[in-house]
Each structure stands twice: as structure tokens, then as C-alpha cells.
Amino acid sequence: MKLATLKDGSRDGQLLIVSRDLKTAVIATNIAPTLQDVLDSWDFMAPQCEDLYVQLNQGRAPNSFDFDPTQCMSPLPRAYQFADASAYVDFVDLIARSRKDEIPDFFWSEPLIHQAASDDFLGPCDDILVASEAFGIDVESEIAVIIDDVKMGATPQQAAESIRLVMLANDVSLRELMQTEMIKKFGFLNSKPSTSFSPVAVTPDELADAWEKGKLHLPLRTSIKGKLVGAPNAGVDMTFSFPQLIAHLVKTRNAKAGTIIGSGTVFNKEGSKGNSSIFATRAAEIIAHGDATTPYLQFGDVVKIEMLDKNGKSIFGAIEQKIEQAE
């Protein structure tokens, strides 16, 4: 099943069911007003959404229309919680080595997760507004999941059952501002503007055998100014699976339906598939040559993030955004 949120001028938009080929959609507010409402009563409402999804794919859904990602908000325009991880520890190690540093051994056994802003997500085609290019504007292509209620102390096996939806994310980073915030050692704030997510969120069954043991085993494609800069496989070199990340999140507290967990920058350590962030490319340049030459994003640049299935078809639709100067 593929779900989205239509812009309608409100904070939370209207629930959409989107066809498997991403060509048509139908407003599903007769089932639930918003995606959060579906998540709050998943066992009751998801089967109704699934029935409508089947009708839509068979061309039988009443009042269907052409699907337009530019008219979408984030699947969840705002969420009760967004926790973003660094599940690809080889990426963290690369950054440390570029600074002639080492990561602690426990980074390989205990996930890194920080509390991120969740009150104002961007739509998949909304402009990314930044005050200055000097902030070091960077893309971070990620996988994210939306979960149901999870009780404190849940095991990874139990946590796996809570994953309701999967989507893509662009967790924009302002690298030059991040340097100061890292020194403060109190988490990211100004260096993390609003995150954007793919036009649709999909249930894990839509991913077939590409979804295995809480990891998505397909290349995540990142393009800048129309040039493909990276397509690392999201299931390769992911140190911690999503069930492990969720279990870590609920170690000391409950998590509620609608919580989003991000994977962190998708990264393959051999580097042959390119990178999902400019930061990784610059770190590799520093290690190899002593200096970084790849620039961060500039105003007017367009970033595109997409994942294709084994038949070359888009699964989630594309995040496609222009970098613009904030007034």
C-alpha cells in the first residue's frame, strides 16, 4: 500500500491512497482525515485503506485523479517524534578519519541517535530555504520508517513488528554551523533545518524481498544539478537495522504511533557507488589529498533523491528540491 498527503491549506493535509505505479491517487478522507489518524487506529483503518488501494490499482476506485508529487506535503507533515540515527557507522568512521581522529569501539555496538525537529517537515518538492550559502548546505539521503506504538524495553524482534511504513528522506544539514554545535556537545539545532520526505510512504510488503531483516536492499540514488553523485545500496554496510534502532529508542521510554526513525546518511564503505552527502565526498578528498575540493550546495542547485525497484520503477516517487535563499 502507498500513502501520501495532499496539500489543502491546512497543517496536516488530506490522506491520499496512491497507485503502485504512482500514476493515480484517490482522496481517502472517507476512511480517515489524515495519515496520523490511520496510524492511531492502524488495525481498523489500514485494511480499509488496503481495499481502496486494490480498487485503485484495478482502475475501479471512484473519483481517482492523476497523482502529482508537487501537490504533496510530507506523508506526515508533522510528527510526534523524529529520531535520526547514524546507522552506517563506516560513514561516521570516515568523517573521524578525515579529522585524524578515531571513533570509540562502542559506536559499533550501540547506535547513535539524536532527537530531531518534527514540527515542520518540507514537502518532497518544496524549496529548501537557507539564509546563506556560507552555512555549508548539504544533502543527506536517508531511509526512514514510521512506527506504531512500541513499549519501553521492546526487543529488536518485537520492534520489527511495529514498522508500518517506509519512506525516503533528505535530512538537510548546514555543515559549517554544525561545527560549532558539535563543540557544544548538546545536539544539533541551527545546523538542522526542516527535513523533507518522499511523496509516498509504503508498507514493507510493497518492497518484496528488497526488505529483509529490517533493512532495505536497493540503491538510493542522489543527483545534484541533474548529475548522479551516488547510488549506494541502503542494505549494505548498515551497521544497525531499523528494529535495532527502534529497540534502542525505547530503551528507557515508550514510543507512540507516528514516530519517525531515520537511518542517517546511506553509505557504502568501498565508495564505488558514490555518496549520499557532499560531506562524505569531502571527507574522502581530505583523506586522499589533504583538502576538500567538492563545494557544498549553492542557491539554484536542484537535489533529487529516488529509489528504483528491480524493474527500474520508482517506488516512493522522487524528492526533488531547489536550494533557494530565504528572505
Side-chain angles (χ1 to χ4, degrees):
M1 179 166 60
K2 298 191 176 187
L3 305 175
T5 295
L6 180 67
K7 292 179 178 179
D8 67 351
S10 69
R11 291 181 186 271
D12 299 305
Q14 297 183 69
L15 176 67
L16 285 182
I17 310 293
V18 182
S19 62
R20 183 171 286 112
D21 60 10
L22 304 178
K23 291 183 178 180
T24 58
V26 62
I27 294 173
T29 50
N30 61 318
I31 298 174
T34 69
L35 178 55
Q36 182 61 53
D37 290 302
V38 177
L39 291 161
D40 285 338
S41 302
W42 184 264
D43 290 342
F44 177 68
M45 291 185 176
Q48 298 177 59
C49 291
E50 181 67 32
D51 288 344
L52 186 53
Y53 180 63
V54 171
Q55 293 177 41
L56 184 63
N57 286 316
Q58 294 175 347
R60 298 187 294 107
N63 303 315
S64 64
F65 53 89
D66 292 342
F67 178 61
D68 182 1
T70 66
Q71 296 305 306
C72 286
M73 305 173 80
S74 165
L76 280 179
R78 51 180 175 166
Y80 290 115
Q81 178 174 206
F82 174 31
D84 198 32
S86 286
Y88 300 83
V89 180
D90 287 297
F91 170 72
V92 182
D93 180 59
L94 174 74
I95 302 307
R97 287 189 289 113
S98 73
R99 295 169 175 161
K100 295 182 168 41
D101 201 356
E102 295 181 358
I103 60 173
D105 289 341
F106 73 85
F107 275 28
W108 297 98
S109 58
E110 184 171 317
L112 294 167
I113 305 181
H114 74 93
Q115 202 77 47
S118 63
D119 60 324
D120 185 33
F121 294 135
L122 294 178
C125 300
D126 292 349
D127 291 340
I128 298 170
L129 302 179
V130 183
S132 172
E133 292 175 345
F135 290 169
I137 311 164
D138 197 5
V139 56
E140 280 198 55
S141 303
E142 303 187 11
I143 311 299
V145 299
I146 305 175
I147 62 173
D148 205 335
D149 293 337
V150 184
K151 291 184 178 181
M152 181 175 67
T155 65
Q157 292 73 26
Q158 293 168 330
E161 299 300 317
S162 73
I163 298 173
R164 297 298 181 221
L165 296 164
V166 185
M167 53 188 179
L168 308 182
N170 180 12
D171 187 44
V172 183
S173 290
L174 305 178
R175 298 298 184 183
E176 297 302 330
L177 298 185
M178 192 174 285
Q179 303 304 315
T180 302
E181 292 190 327
M182 290 178 70
I183 293 171
K184 293 178 180 178
K185 296 183 178 180
F186 207 65
F188 302 126
L189 183 65
N190 296 146
S191 60
K192 284 290 187 181
S194 296
T195 300
S196 52
F197 296 93
S198 50
V200 302
V202 311
T203 48
D205 62 285
E206 289 287 329
L207 303 169
D209 60 359
W211 181 256
E212 183 181 3
K213 297 181 179 179
K215 300 179 182 181
L216 181 47
H217 295 264
L218 285 171
L220 180 60
R221 300 169 59 86
T222 302
S223 300
I224 298 174
K225 294 189 288 188
K227 179 183 178 181
L228 183 67
V229 297
N233 190 305
V236 175
D237 300 321
M238 188 180 188
T239 311
F240 302 102
S241 68
F242 279 108
Q244 289 174 303
L245 296 177
I246 297 165
H248 183 73
L249 177 68
V250 299
K251 182 176 181 178
T252 59
R253 54 178 167 162
N254 299 323
K256 295 302 182 181
T259 291
I260 300 172
I261 296 94
S263 67
T265 305
V266 173
F267 182 76
N268 289 169
K269 62 183 177 183
E270 80 278 358
S272 62
K273 303 297 184 181
N275 291 309
S276 300
S277 74
I278 296 172
F279 198 38
T281 301
R282 288 171 61 90
E285 290 170 346
I286 291 171
I287 293 170
H289 309 294
D291 193 20
T293 57
T294 299
Y296 288 119
L297 297 170
Q298 307 294 306
F299 296 140
D301 288 353
V302 174
V303 172
K304 183 177 181 181
I305 301 168
E306 192 171 24
M307 179 172 279
L308 309 180
D309 64 19
K310 294 178 181 178
N311 296 314
K313 304 295 185 181
S314 183
I315 300 171
F316 305 91
I319 298 171
E320 192 162 5
Q321 300 174 286
K322 182 183 285 188
I323 313 299
E324 295 283 14
Q325 186 168 20
E327 296 181 3

